[in-house]
């Protein structure tokens, strides 16, 4: 039985809890121990506790002692008097010196270094020469005040006499110093002084690092014996200081020039077997972040090293399949240097160094094994090749664009495309089954990156690249072709990547006719052919990607569609095939109307399959509906739509039967019912008129006769859809998901501008919405969309339905009261009201009883001050639109709501909102000031209460704010004034612009 966790009464009790914290235990126990120990650490006795814990020899206890000092520095640093600051500093350094002298493990030493850095962050002004102070104390073997060491020899001399443990501790402190200070918010100008203090310590840090990584016999001459720990510590310290200096230059334009004197030596440590990885990390970071940090001599040295016998040996080890981390790092170093020098390398391919470098880059692409499985290196080259292509494309049209090196570069890019093409081949099924999920995802990600590179290379290489890929497929499929389906698939995959780049150039169609006119489809549909599944999948995707070609060349459609419909019977291909069928039918709908009967038969066969994929069914129904939409008359559409409806009714009937049978089939019944509704949505979307249809501007005046879908057989079919929707929702007792799906059916008709099967009578839609108002957010969203669809002058007037929905909204608001309790609904209410204003503002403004209308407007005013940003944004958008109305009724409402609106906006802009919300909330403020002459009085009154909006703004600030806002009279500068006032109120600005 576990020992109860109680509050400690002695030092030994604390030590016991610390031991338990580092032992296995339940999450609850460990959390309880942490809470108790943190409480003890924060107690007034925490300072003394830290000393007592550091007295112990157990490393975990000592670590916790150093951690306790850190906790106190973070929580109680303001209680440390000015006189006690240097004493505390000496105390902390004393512990560092002691644990170093006693040979404590790195865990304890590094934690004390970290604690000293926290001390620096809290008292930077009192510890300006921290690096020198720590070096002196470690060299002297004792702690003391800074003034006690002023007469000690220079640090370069002290470091020569220090033992390795002390030197390593100094390096750790120096490294942690810049790493932790670098995490301080650099965007706040108040923290600029940290950068200055670090800069003041640069010289001492450079002396320390130089001592650690020095090569006594000159750069490039690695000592016969050296302490790897010291060199490693020095290189990592150098790396951290370089990274800090680069950020400091970006943020504050502060430079650290002395650091650059160390780069040359750091580069030469690459040649050391023991130090290679540490040196490699440093150099890669510099190359990646700031190539200009390197001097011309550094760049030349690095270039020579990367083509030296040492590098060749590394490179050959890499090509042999060596997966050691050092080999991977070497590849990264090579590629990063090549990317950083891409322009120079491009122009020097015919020189021995340039040729050696480019050949190594090609060699990396030929490392054996599948990428991200056995080969972890070739993926690192994408950035280089992409940068080379980008440079060459940008160079086109320049004065030297006809230079010989341009053609040389084109050849290298073409060669790289071929190498990537080889790397992306899919392995056989047996190989794939041995891969882990991560390996599979890595390989597929590599293929995507390769496709992106091929796409960019096409911008450089042009049509010959496309033709080459087509020929690779056609020649492989020709009699006697020797290429494997894995190679064919790789070519098709690359062709798929180019689909978005092609237009309607004649040569493009010639190439595609060569591809799609080959025997590719006859081979793909051959059930006896042993074709990898991935090759079929890629072919399916390819057809969908080239839908515009089939639209221009419809004679190639039949074999393509035949192949796609055949793929529907293969479950793993069904979804991709249905997407491509949908894409083709959308693009080629007019051409395919004669094939409707065949499509319907194909769908009948597919839908009857027990394994028919639901999403594929939706996609194919949408595809067939695209073709139906292209029929010349509404009467001709009736029969094929009725046939599609038969399939939907069949699913709906099956759903109800399953539900009545019960016996655990309720979930399947619901899914089948939802499928029926989603299929209706797909049919509705397919029947929508294309966006590119010409608009008939010759509108006939006067009442129009009922359309086909409002009378006779068309009307009965529309009624059948509505009844089916209502039946499913009723059968499943208003299930939320079912109502959501039903609303999606109604929404398909809202986008139409002419009568259609899915353009339902607004009264029928409204009745449904009010019947299922328990699904509030969906109902509100659908109601808003319904009103928007009837907000143009040419659409039917639905005042009756608007009043019904507005009554529902008001009842909802009266029930909720505070928008903060239901923020999602509050957003929907504001959105709904904004939609009303486009055509039905008079309905809103004249609503009775007046008390209910007042409650609605108060609700939207309160929405301006809720926590959730999306609610504030919706409410602000409503008020901006409402303030733009021009009518006596709206004037009356604004006069009544104006004082409260001004108060809400002043509260938010006065610090109550987040910074990202100011722009949104400034809009109604602009409209209010521009619209209402009394707005100055309202704003002045809103800012009067003492301490409002915060104590940070005084009477003068408030007066200036109102004067500036009123002077601008709603102009765009209002937003900037609002930002400045917010900054002042939050106390994050130093000077308020007057």
């Amino acid at each position: 039985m576990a020992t109860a966790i109680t509050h400690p009464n002695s030092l030994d009790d604390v030590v016991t809890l610390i031991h338990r914290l580092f032992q296995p235990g339940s999450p609850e126990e460990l959390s309880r121990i942490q809470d108790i120990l943190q409480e003890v650490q924060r107690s007034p006795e925490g300072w003394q506790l830290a000393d007592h814990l550091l007295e112990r020899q157990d490393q975990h206890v000592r670590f916790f002692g150093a951690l306790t000092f850190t906790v106190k520095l973070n929580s109680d640093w303001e209680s440390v008097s000015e006189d006690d600051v240097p004493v505390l500093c000496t105390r902390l350094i004393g512990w560092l010196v002691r644990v170093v002298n006693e040979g404590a493990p790195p865990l304890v030493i590094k934690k004390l270094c970290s604690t000293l850095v926290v001390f620096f962050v809290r008292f930077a002004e009192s510890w300006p020469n921290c690096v020198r102070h720590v070096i002196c104390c470690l060299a002297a073997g004792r702690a003391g005040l800074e003034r006690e060491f002023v007469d000690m020899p220079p640090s370069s001399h002290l470091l020569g006499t220090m033992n390795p443990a002390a030197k390593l501790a100094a390096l750790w402190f120096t490294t942690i110093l810049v790493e932790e200070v670098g995490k301080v918010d650099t965007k706040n100008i108040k923290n600029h002084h940290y950068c200055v203090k670090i800069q003041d310590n640069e010289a001492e840090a450079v002396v320390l690092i130089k001592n650690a990584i020095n090569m006594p016999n000159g750069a490039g001459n690695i000592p016969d014996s050296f302490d790897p720990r010291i060199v490693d510590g020095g290189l990592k310290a150098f790396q951290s200081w370089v990274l800090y200096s680069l950020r400091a230059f970006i943020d504050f334009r502060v430079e650290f020039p002395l650091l650059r004197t160390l780069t040359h030596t750091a580069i030469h440590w690459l040649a050391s077997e023991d130090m290679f990885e540490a040196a490699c990390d440093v150099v890669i970071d510099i190359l990646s972040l700031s190539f200009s940090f390197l001097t011309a001599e550094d760049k030349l040295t690095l270039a020579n090293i990367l083509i030296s016998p040492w590098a060749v040996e590394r490179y050959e080890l890499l090509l042999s399949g060596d997966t050691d981390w050092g080999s991977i790092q070497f590849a990264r170093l090579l590629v990063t240097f090549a990317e950083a020098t891409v322009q120079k390398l491009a122009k020097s391919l015919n020189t021995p160094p340039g040729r050696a470098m480019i050949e190594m880059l090609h060699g990396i692409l030929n490392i054996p094994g599948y990428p991200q499985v056995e080969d972890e290196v070739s993926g690192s080259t994408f950035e280089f090749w992409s940068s080379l292509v980008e440079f060459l494309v940008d160079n086109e049209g320049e004065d030297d664009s006809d230079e010989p090196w341009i053609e040389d570069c084109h050849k290298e890019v073409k060669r790289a495309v071929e190498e990537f093409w080889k790397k992306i081949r899919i392995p056989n099924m047996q190989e794939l089954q041995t891969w882990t999920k991560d390996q599979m995802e890595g390989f597929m990600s590599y293929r995507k990156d390769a496709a992106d590179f091929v796409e960019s290379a096409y911008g450089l290489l042009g049509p010959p690249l496309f033709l080459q890929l087509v020929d690779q497929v056609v020649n492989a499929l020709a009699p006697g072709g020797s290429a494997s389906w894995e190679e064919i698939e790789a070519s098709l995959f690359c062709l798929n990547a180019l689909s978005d780049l092609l237009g309607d150039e004649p040569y493009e169609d010639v190439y595609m006719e060569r591809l799609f006119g080959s025997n590719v489809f006859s081979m793909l549909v051959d059930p006896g052919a042993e074709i990898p599944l991935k090759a079929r999948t890629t072919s399916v995707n390819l057809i969908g990607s080239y839908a515009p070609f089939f639209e221009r060349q419809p004679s190639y459609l039949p074999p393509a569609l035949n192949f796609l419909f055949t793929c529907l019977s293969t479950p793993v291909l069904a979804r991709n095939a249905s997407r491509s069928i949908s894409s083709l039918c959308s693009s080629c709908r007019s051409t395919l109307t004669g094939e409707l009967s065949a499509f319907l038969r194909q769908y009948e066969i597919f839908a009857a399959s027990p394994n028919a994929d639901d999403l594929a069914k939706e996609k194919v129904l949408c595809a067939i509906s695209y073709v139906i939409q292209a029929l010349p008359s509404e009467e001709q559409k009736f029969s094929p739509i009725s046939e599609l409806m038969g399939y939907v009714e069949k699913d709906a009937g099956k759903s109800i039967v399953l539900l009545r049978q019960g016996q655990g089939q309720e979930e399947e019944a619901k899914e089948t019912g939802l499928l029926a509704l989603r299929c209706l949505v797909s049919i509705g979307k397919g029947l929508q008129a294309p966006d590119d249809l010409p608009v008939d501007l010759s509108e006939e005046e006067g009442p129009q006769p009922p359309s086909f879908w409002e009378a006779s057989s068309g009307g009965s079919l529309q009624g059948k859809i509505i009844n089916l929707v209502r039946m499913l929702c009723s059968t499943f007792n208003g299930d939320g998901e079912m109502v959501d799906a039903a609303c999606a059916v109604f929404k398909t008709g809202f986008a139409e501008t002419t009568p259609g099967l899915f353009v339902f009578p607004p009264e029928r839609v409204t009745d449904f919405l009010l019947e299922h108002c328990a699904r509030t957010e969906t109902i509100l969203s659908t109601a808003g969309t319904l009103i928007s669809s009837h907000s143009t002058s040419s659409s039917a007037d639905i005042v009756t339905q608007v009043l019904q929905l507005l009554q529902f909204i008001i009842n909802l608001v009266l029930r909720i009261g505070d928008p903060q309790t239901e923020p999602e609904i509050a957003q929907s209410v504001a959105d709904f009201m904004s939609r009303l204003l486009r055509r039905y503002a008079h309905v809103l403004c004249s609503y009775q009883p007046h008390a209910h209308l007042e409650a609605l407007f108060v609700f939207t005013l309160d929405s301006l001050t809720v926590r959730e940003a999306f609610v504030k944004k919706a409410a602000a958008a409503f008020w901006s639109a409402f303030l733009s109305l021009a009518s006596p009724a709206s004037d009356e409402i604004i006069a009544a709501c104006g004082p409260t609106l001004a108060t809400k906006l002043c509260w938010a802009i006065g610090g109550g909102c987040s910074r990202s919300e100011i722009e949104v909330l400034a809009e109604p403020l602009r409209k209010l000031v521009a619209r209402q002459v009394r707005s100055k009085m309202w704003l002045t009154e809103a800012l009067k209460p003492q301490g409002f909006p915060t104590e940070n703004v005084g009477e003068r600030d408030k007066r200036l704010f109102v004067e500036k806002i009123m002077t601008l009279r709603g102009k765009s500068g209002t937003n900037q004034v609002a930002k400045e006032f917010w900054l002042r109120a939050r106390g994050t600005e130093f000077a308020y612009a007057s």
Side-chain angles (χ1 to χ4, degrees), residues 495-574:
L495 284 168
N496 200 14
L498 301 180
S499 60
D500 290 337
L501 299 179
L502 302 182
D504 52 4
E505 294 291 336
Y507 72 82
E508 294 172 354
D509 275 9
V510 171
Y511 296 162
M512 285 185 275
E513 287 171 9
R514 178 166 167 74
L515 173 65
F516 294 120
S518 70
N519 60 343
V520 60
F521 294 128
S522 61
M523 294 190 69
L524 286 168
V525 298
D526 182 359
E530 294 185 5
I531 301 173
L533 183 62
K534 186 61 181 177
R536 296 182 191 271
T537 304
T538 302
S539 301
V540 164
N541 296 338
L542 181 73
I543 293 171
S545 298
Y546 282 93
F549 163 76
F550 291 102
E551 185 178 4
R552 295 191 302 271
Q553 306 290 342
S555 62
Y556 292 90
L557 269 171
L561 282 168
N562 181 44
F563 164 62
L564 292 175
F565 274 107
T566 302
C567 291
L568 289 175
S569 60
T570 305
V572 293
L573 293 176

Side-chain angles (χ1 to χ4, degrees), residues 22-224:
F22 287 94
Q23 292 172 354
S26 68
E28 295 78 13
E29 286 179 337
L30 296 177
S31 178
R32 171 64 178 155
I33 292 171
Q34 282 182 321
D35 289 342
I36 292 174
L37 288 174
Q38 286 176 5
E39 184 181 342
V40 173
Q41 287 176 312
R42 291 193 178 95
S43 69
E45 295 77 23
W47 297 111
Q48 290 74 34
L49 173 65
D51 285 320
H52 292 312
L53 294 176
L54 281 164
E55 291 282 356
R56 303 291 179 112
Q57 292 301 307
D58 183 281
Q59 67 166 331
H60 291 142
V61 176
R62 278 188 152 178
F63 174 88
F64 205 82
L67 177 62
T68 303
F69 270 127
T70 299
V71 170
K72 294 299 288 182
L73 283 166
N74 282 325
S75 61
D76 293 347
W77 65 277
E78 290 178 304
S79 66
V80 180
S81 69
E82 186 176 346
D83 292 338
D84 287 338
V85 169
V87 177
L88 178 57
C89 181
T90 302
R91 182 173 166 190
L92 294 173
I93 295 178
W95 278 117
L96 176 63
V97 172
R98 176 172 169 179
V99 297
V100 169
N101 291 341
E102 291 176 358
L107 175 74
V108 176
I109 299 173
K110 287 183 178 180
K111 190 59 189 175
L112 274 166
C113 289
S114 176
T115 303
L116 278 165
V117 170
V118 175
F119 176 87
F120 173 84
V121 171
R122 295 302 181 193
F123 305 106
E125 297 300 326
S126 301
W127 201 24
N129 302 308
C130 57
V131 175
R132 166 69 177 173
H133 191 189
V134 169
I135 290 173
C136 288
C137 291
L138 287 168
R142 66 175 181 83
L145 299 175
E146 281 192 72
R147 62 174 178 267
E148 297 177 35
F149 300 103
V150 293
D151 294 328
M152 288 192 76
S155 295
S156 56
H157 177 79
L158 296 177
L159 290 165
T161 62
M162 283 171 63
N163 64 62
K167 192 181 298 185
L168 195 57
L171 288 166
W172 286 341
F173 168 76
T174 309
T175 303
I176 296 170
L177 176 67
V178 286
E179 288 178 348
E180 294 304 312
V181 172
K183 296 175 184 177
V184 175
D185 181 16
T186 57
K187 301 303 180 186
N188 192 334
I189 194 66
K190 291 180 179 179
N191 295 324
H192 176 257
H193 73 286
Y194 286 120
C195 187
V196 175
K197 295 301 178 188
I198 294 297
Q199 188 183 35
D200 290 342
N201 281 275
E202 179 194 15
E204 288 294 327
V206 167
V207 170
L208 173 61
I209 297 169
K210 182 178 180 180
N211 177 274
I213 67 173
N214 189 39
M215 294 180 175
N217 298 321
N221 296 304
I222 298 172
D224 294 333

Side-chain angles (χ1 to χ4, degrees), residues 864-867 872 902-919 921-922 925 942-943 947-953 957-958 961 975 977-989 992:
L864 289 168
T865 53
V866 300
R867 289 188 296 271
K872 281 193 277 244
T903 299
K904 299 287 185 182
L905 294 175
C906 284
W907 178 88
I909 294 171
C913 71
S914 67
R915 186 168 187 165
S916 60
E917 296 165 350
I918 301 173
E919 289 278 353
L921 292 164
L925 177 62
L943 292 168
F948 178 81
T950 73
E951 297 286 353
N952 293 324
V953 288
D957 298 314
K958 297 175 184 179
F961 170 67
N975 296 40
V977 173
K979 288 179 184 176
E980 292 171 355
F981 189 66
W982 182 92
L983 287 167
R984 184 67 172 175
R986 283 291 187 96
T988 54
E989 185 63 275
Y992 181 64

Side-chain angles (χ1 to χ4, degrees), residues 165 457 541 661 847:
N541 296 338
Q661 289 176 349
Y847 185 86

